[in-house]
Amino acid sequence: MLLVRSIWNGAISFGLVSIPIKLVNATESHSVSFRQIHLEDGGRIRYRKVCELEEREVTQGEIGKAYEDADGTMIPITDEDLSSLPIPTAKTIEIEGFVPAESVDPLQVDAAYYLAANGVPAAKPYTLLREALKRSGKVAICKFALRGRERLGMLRVVDDVLAMHGLLWPDEIRTTEGVAPDASVTVRDKELDLADALMDTLGEVDFESLHDDYREAVEELIAAKASGEEPPAVPSPAPGGKVLDLMAALEKSVRDAKESRGEDTADITPLASRPTPKEPSGKKSTTTTRKTAAAPKKSTAKTSQPAKKTAAKKSAAKKTTAAKSAEAKSAEAKSTAKKTPAKKTATRKRSA
């Protein structure tokens, strides 16, 4: 049963198929609205519609619409003038074609509406279009006229209902020129790693759990004032300041997000010992350990080489000394051998 009042009645034109429908708002605002009052006595401030020429207040039935020309001339435009315009979308939602849903830029999406079948005969074609959109996985791009102007729209299926999103025309989307930062900024891999860790920690969003904290606080304030009680205390804001170290801010954000979810923060590596992102942390730490362990061996080897050379030199020196000593003894022996026969010969001669 349709509980919301329709804001537009017409039909969907799907080729030669016409589907009578009612257009209803798919969204509603829950924001708290305020009235203007006179501060002295609390009297309500109201706006009165006054005719400038007659200087008197006029009723709603006396008010029409007009277009103001560049020179200030008012050109009256009636509802009959608008309804007689030669456009097919005055009372019809004209389907132009079908595209993948991801091809529609979210910047174009405007207000949302539900389309309800208007009458029993509309049930069959309504269901046909709904199931065709479901099976194709696409959305229908259409045109429709609402509140005095033609608009662009997108039809898609929500549960078992056809929904239409108003779309802005392409020329109504501003370019991004001049919006991006002018300065040339380089983002390091370590910073991206921390940003990824923060995204993983925050995880996905449960839309059902989200609510308007500001609206709830305003309602509590109104309820307290209405009952003559003191307004609820405002919590003191968290201490803040200008963050100069982006890496420290990212690391703290990851730590805070994990603590708020009751997760362990022991796996958050401090910045000083964080490995470079080019190599896996495990491999790098292993390599560092091996290099550190191998360092004493290298230093021992370097130390032992001079010792070996010194020992070799001493050994060579000993060998040289021994060789010289042996040569000297041999020379003495030869000298002694030569001298002995000579003495004997001299003795014999003397004896003779």
Side-chain angles (χ1 to χ4, degrees), residues 43-233:
R44 171 101 178 262
I45 302 298
R46 296 181 181 271
Y47 292 97
R48 301 181 184 274
K49 298 180 179 180
V50 177
C51 175
E52 292 181 351
L53 297 179
E54 299 181 7
E55 294 185 356
R56 69 175 181 87
E57 186 177 352
V58 295
T59 62
Q60 185 63 36
E62 299 177 89
I63 300 174
K65 59 173 68 74
Y67 174 79
E68 185 176 3
D69 207 354
D71 58 357
T73 303
M74 295 295 178
I75 303 172
I77 302 294
T78 65
D79 292 337
E80 291 75 14
D81 294 334
L82 296 176
S83 61
S84 62
L85 291 176
I87 55 174
T89 57
K91 281 294 182 181
T92 306
I93 299 175
E94 288 280 347
I95 294 180
E96 301 291 328
F98 300 86
V99 297
E102 58 270 15
S103 66
V104 178
D105 191 341
L107 284 173
Q108 287 186 261
V109 178
D110 200 1
Y113 308 94
Y114 288 142
L115 305 181
N118 191 2
V120 177
K124 178 72 173 181
Y126 184 98
T127 306
L128 173 65
L129 177 58
R130 183 191 66 196
E131 297 303 316
L133 287 174
K134 278 185 179 181
R135 189 167 70 172
S136 67
K138 295 182 178 182
V139 296
I141 302 301
C142 60
K143 288 182 179 180
F144 66 102
L146 183 65
R147 297 189 177 97
R149 68 185 185 95
E150 188 175 53
R151 306 187 181 199
L152 195 63
M154 175 184 72
L155 297 180
R156 70 184 185 97
V157 180
V158 177
D159 295 334
D160 285 332
V161 174
L162 289 176
M164 182 173 68
H165 295 270
L167 299 179
L168 300 175
W169 297 98
D171 59 358
E172 293 179 318
I173 305 296
R174 293 179 176 176
T175 64
T176 58
E177 185 178 358
V179 180
D182 294 333
S184 178
V185 179
T186 302
V187 179
R188 295 181 296 170
D189 290 340
K190 287 184 178 180
E191 295 167 341
L192 284 175
D193 292 341
L194 278 174
D196 290 341
L198 178 58
M199 293 169 63
D200 293 339
T201 304
L202 293 177
E204 298 182 354
V205 175
D206 180 13
F207 283 94
E208 297 296 330
S209 65
L210 300 179
H211 56 277
D212 189 347
D213 294 328
Y214 179 78
R215 177 173 60 87
E216 291 180 358
V218 171
E219 290 174 348
E220 290 178 4
L221 172 64
I222 294 172
K225 286 207 166 190
S227 59
E229 300 176 359
E230 285 292 326

Side-chain angles (χ1 to χ4, degrees), residues 263-308:
E263 298 179 8
D264 186 17
T265 60
D267 59 338
I268 301 178
T269 309
L271 292 175
S273 60
R274 192 179 300 280
T276 56
K278 294 181 179 179
E279 298 180 13
S281 58
K283 290 185 178 179
K284 181 163 185 184
S285 61
T286 305
T287 307
T288 307
T289 306
R290 288 176 181 173
K291 286 182 180 179
T292 307
K297 293 183 179 179
K298 288 184 179 179
S299 114
T300 306
K302 289 180 181 178
T303 307
S304 62
Q305 284 179 359
K308 288 181 179 180

